[in-house]
Amino acid sequence: MTATVFSLFIFVIATFGILIALLVQDDFSVRYVANHSNHSLPILYKIAASWAGHSGSMLFLVLLFSLWSLLFCYTKRHRFNQESQRALAFLGIINAIFLLFLLFFSNPFTRIFPAPLEGGDLNPMLQDIGLIFHPPLLYLGYSAFAVVFAITLTYLIKGKFPSSFALEIKPWVLIGWVFLTLGIMLGAWWAYYELGWGGWWFWDPSENASLMPWLVATALLHTLSANIKSKAFPYWIILLALCVFILSLLGIFIVRSGVLTSVHAFAQDNSRGLGLLLIFCFFSLLAFGFFATRLKIITGVARYNFWLYLLLGANLLFSVATFIVFLGSFYPLFYHLFELGSISVGAPYFNKLFLPLVALALIGMNAIFLPRNKIWRQWLPYLLLCLLSIIIGYAVTICYTPTVDTFSWQAFLFLSLAFILIAFTFWKSMTAPRNWGMLLSHTGVALVVFATTMTSYFTQTQNIALAPHQNTNFAGYHLAYKDFQNLLGSNFVTEQAQFLFSKEALPIATIYTEKRYYDVRDVQMSEIGINSTLKGDMYIVMGDKRGNGAFAFRIQYKPFMIWLWIGGFCMALGGAISLCQRTQGKYDD
């Protein structure tokens, strides 16, 4: 059976390599190449085009399914029992179904005759380093959850879950969670510097598609930790393990079917939506059918304590958050299907319902660190750290209030909770170092909350028209529009403005912002000029032309923005450390 899985992987990777070769060689007799590439496209983007379109991305997904199947075989090489064979059979079914989908719905090797002399173009929004790596990272996460799904179904059919079940699936959950975290953060980073609207999260369906399985995977990780320690939440683990893969399939359906309009879904194709919907429905019915009919009553449930009740509350929070995202993403579609008219669900809906859940989650994360007894000497450091963090949160809020003219109690609340989490995590690492992966991930969450709060409530904005050699003062800095020039790129022409960024006559950096024109698609794109420091980002967007090198510019100063990306990296790094500790047998839950 191992030879069969290895052969599948070799054939699929060879097929994907052929697709890349066709793109690099500009073989426009292949429809996929003609639609997504041309002679002037840089070779790096030609390679990225192999997963930028619908057919190529589905082939890439099958490649990842076969990769994880092979890795699963490798990890079971010394104890390949009947359960392992069944799990591998389910992985084979997943591979087979998606291969059939490629063959009948989305063949990337369809030929056209006569072949055009020149191809189309990769969407200019995708011609960026962020979008080269963002989709593969998400697909690595989605596909890793297939192993979790296969193992869970295996024991569901058997009707009995071994005591080692949580330990068996946790590495695969960690793998999927780490890749999904990196993919989400890279996508947010791309949206921040590429789309030009100044934010990093739009509550767009394509963003929500990856957020839903991430929320469920986060809940599953915490539930697995509780089960490994005390055998608690067995039903939660089974249900979440099934849902994380089902929601991953839903994410693929959202982005690749074209059923939902997205501001930056990197490919859409309505004709293949039915096939993806059938795949999603098949696996959903399979999973929940087995869950309803084969699951037997699990005895020996642990006696609950304070820590377990917190985790139960966390599961409920993550479940509610996932439902909120699902409802906000699909409600406009349901509204239209029932011929009730058209309706849009935007950021106000998500923010209003999501922010209280985030606050409750932060309170719960802080409460986990508190002592379990009533000895006041053990409580005293935490009380002092809590008080100090609240004072710092208030001081930061007061310090930045003049930039927005109004004191924000919401900003004060989230800053205080973030500082408390950082302080508690630091104290825990100093007094009782145990799970460094968990501590680093929680620190990353705190940094993300801190940076998000600062940029959401204290961003400063100026809209101004400037000509070369004019300047402006903004957010305590001096910006001089030094020069303007027209440049020729590899497959575009650009208008570029050069700014000198300084403070108190001391130069800090030179910032370039552009407006690019891609003639193949007749599309104009803004390239944002950003100078990032640990203290904040200066963010310049080039707007409409006013003549003789003069343009309208939107200038923003975003305090502590870079800590958002640092925090996201810390979260993923913490998960990777936990995975390494787990695989080396040193994992301490």
Side-chain angles (χ1 to χ4, degrees):
M1 188 169 288
T2 303
T4 303
V5 177
F6 181 74
S7 300
L8 172 66
F9 174 73
I10 292 299
F11 284 126
V12 176
I13 197 172
T15 304
F16 192 71
I18 291 171
L19 180 61
I20 292 177
L22 293 172
L23 285 161
V24 172
Q25 295 172 6
D26 297 318
D27 187 349
F28 300 130
S29 66
V30 178
R31 188 182 304 275
Y32 186 87
V33 178
N35 289 340
H36 296 91
S37 182
N38 57 63
H39 287 101
S40 62
L41 189 68
I43 189 168
L44 189 62
Y45 297 135
K46 290 182 180 180
I47 296 174
S50 62
W51 57 73
H54 189 288
S55 302
S57 67
M58 291 296 102
L59 179 59
F60 182 68
L61 184 62
V62 174
L63 171 62
L64 297 180
F65 282 140
S66 63
L67 172 65
W68 295 128
S69 301
L70 183 62
L71 186 59
F72 176 77
C73 280
Y74 178 78
T75 60
K76 297 293 183 180
R77 64 192 183 280
H78 298 308
R79 40 191 170 85
F80 205 77
N81 53 25
Q82 187 179 24
E83 284 72 24
S84 300
Q85 292 177 358
R86 288 178 177 173
L88 193 58
F90 278 117
L91 288 171
I93 292 173
I94 293 172
N95 278 283
I97 287 177
F98 275 91
L99 282 171
L100 289 172
F101 174 80
L102 275 172
L103 185 61
F104 292 107
F105 288 91
S106 190
N107 190 338
F109 298 102
T110 302
R111 294 279 182 172
I112 54 175
F113 182 83
L117 297 177
E118 182 60 277
D121 195 12
L122 184 66
N123 189 332
M125 293 176 66
L126 308 183
Q127 297 182 33
D128 180 85
I129 191 68
L131 259 292
I132 290 177
F133 296 105
H134 166 62
L137 286 172
L138 290 183
Y139 276 30
L140 280 164
Y142 291 156
S143 55
F145 293 136
V147 181
V148 179
F149 182 78
I151 296 173
T152 306
L153 278 184
T154 296
Y155 290 117
L156 266 180
I157 291 178
K158 187 177 180 180
K160 183 179 180 181
F161 284 81
S163 58
S164 61
F165 173 65
L167 285 170
E168 187 174 356
I169 67 171
K170 188 162 188 177
W172 297 103
V173 179
L174 277 169
I175 290 172
W177 185 86
V178 168
F179 280 121
L180 210 54
T181 302
L182 288 172
I184 289 172
M185 293 308 298
L186 188 60
W189 178 62
W190 167 80
Y192 171 67
Y193 74 82
E194 180 66 23
L195 295 185
W197 62 285
W200 59 278
W201 192 263
F202 194 72
W203 291 112
D204 179 80
S206 63
E207 294 173 326
N208 298 342
S210 57
L211 180 61
M212 287 186 285
W214 185 88
L215 289 170
V216 173
T218 305
L220 179 57
L221 280 175
H222 290 84
T223 309
L224 289 170
S225 297
N227 186 268
I228 291 170
K229 275 188 171 184
S230 57
K231 308 302 177 185
F233 309 124
Y235 298 107
W236 271 102
I237 289 178
I238 298 166
L239 184 60
L240 292 174
L242 297 174
C243 286
V244 72
F245 180 64
I246 296 301
L247 288 173
S248 296
L249 293 178
L250 180 64
I252 296 170
F253 171 73
I254 289 174
V255 175
R256 287 301 181 187
S257 68
V259 67
L260 293 177
T261 302
S262 166
V263 71
H264 64 181
F266 54 88
Q268 294 179 354
D269 195 320
N270 293 321
S271 64
R272 283 91 171 223
L274 178 60
L276 289 174
L277 181 61
L278 290 174
I279 292 175
F280 169 75
C281 292
F282 170 76
F283 283 110
S284 298
L285 291 173
L286 182 70
F288 299 125
F290 278 129
F291 183 80
T293 59
R294 300 290 296 174
L295 184 64
K296 297 179 181 179
I297 300 298
I298 300 176
T299 59
V301 178
R303 188 169 63 183
Y304 282 71
N305 55 32
F306 175 74
W307 184 69
L308 292 181
Y309 277 118
L310 277 178
L311 282 174
L312 178 60
N315 280 346
L316 294 174
L317 282 177
F318 282 114
S319 299
V320 171
T322 305
F323 178 74
I324 288 172
V325 176
F326 175 85
L327 186 63
S329 301
F330 280 92
Y331 183 72
L333 176 63
F334 296 148
Y335 201 82
H336 178 71
L337 287 177
F338 289 105
E339 298 181 353
L340 298 175
S342 60
I343 190 172
S344 62
V345 176
Y349 159 83
F350 291 103
N351 292 337
K352 189 172 184 178
L353 296 179
F354 225 79
L355 290 181
L357 298 181
V358 173
L360 290 174
L362 288 170
I363 292 171
M365 292 173 68
N366 288 323
I368 289 175
F369 292 101
L370 297 176
R372 301 294 180 263
N373 52 55
K374 299 181 180 179
I375 302 175
W376 70 271
R377 289 182 179 178
Q378 295 186 9
W379 278 79
L380 184 60
Y382 291 95
L383 294 175
L384 293 176
L385 288 172
C386 185
L387 179 61
L388 179 61
S389 300
I390 292 173
I391 293 173
I392 294 174
Y394 183 78
V396 172
T397 307
I398 286 292
C399 179
Y400 280 87
T401 293
T403 64
V404 292
D405 300 325
T406 304
F407 183 87
S408 173
W409 288 100
Q410 285 185 330
F412 167 59
L413 171 64
F414 284 109
L415 287 175
S416 298
L417 290 173
F419 289 138
I420 291 171
L421 183 56
I422 293 173
F424 282 8
T425 305
F426 178 77
W427 181 255
K428 183 72 173 180
S429 66
M430 294 294 293
T431 57
R434 296 177 61 211
N435 187 342
W436 288 102
M438 181 272 288
L439 295 174
L440 186 59
S441 292
H442 282 207
T443 301
V445 171
L447 292 176
V448 168
V449 172
F450 165 69
T452 302
T453 303
M454 294 302 297
T455 57
S456 298
Y457 291 96
F458 302 115
T459 291
Q460 300 178 61
T461 303
Q462 182 185 66
N463 294 307
I464 189 172
L466 293 173
H469 311 301
Q470 292 182 337
N471 55 71
T472 183
N473 293 314
F474 174 66
Y477 295 93
H478 183 74
L479 283 167
Y481 182 8
K482 303 297 292 183
D483 194 15
F484 164 80
Q485 55 184 335
N486 293 302
L487 299 172
L488 180 63
S490 56
N491 61 333
F492 60 87
V493 293
T494 183
E495 298 172 311
Q496 185 187 81
Q498 175 185 342
F499 282 83
L500 181 63
F501 175 41
S502 61
K503 186 179 179 85
E504 297 177 353
L506 296 176
I508 299 175
T510 300
I511 302 176
Y512 297 92
T513 180
E514 304 176 21
K515 289 185 76 71
R516 293 181 179 178
Y517 176 72
Y518 296 81
D519 60 345
V520 175
R521 281 189 173 235
D522 192 22
V523 171
Q524 192 173 52
M525 296 286 298
S526 294
E527 292 295 315
I528 317 305
I530 304 176
N531 178 256
S532 294
T533 67
L534 294 177
K535 188 178 179 182
D537 285 10
M538 188 61 72
Y539 186 97
I540 305 177
V541 183
M542 197 171 182
D544 296 334
K545 192 171 184 178
R546 301 295 175 87
N548 297 323
F551 288 85
F553 295 96
R554 185 173 77 253
I555 306 172
Q556 293 182 309
Y557 184 73
K558 299 177 174 294
F560 301 101
M561 185 68 192
I562 197 172
W563 291 99
L564 177 61
W565 322 124
I566 294 174
F569 177 76
C570 286
M571 291 168 61
L573 181 61
I577 290 173
S578 296
L579 178 64
C580 292
Q581 291 175 331
R582 172 69 184 88
T583 54
Q584 294 173 6
K586 299 178 182 179
Y587 193 83
D588 183 5
D589 290 282

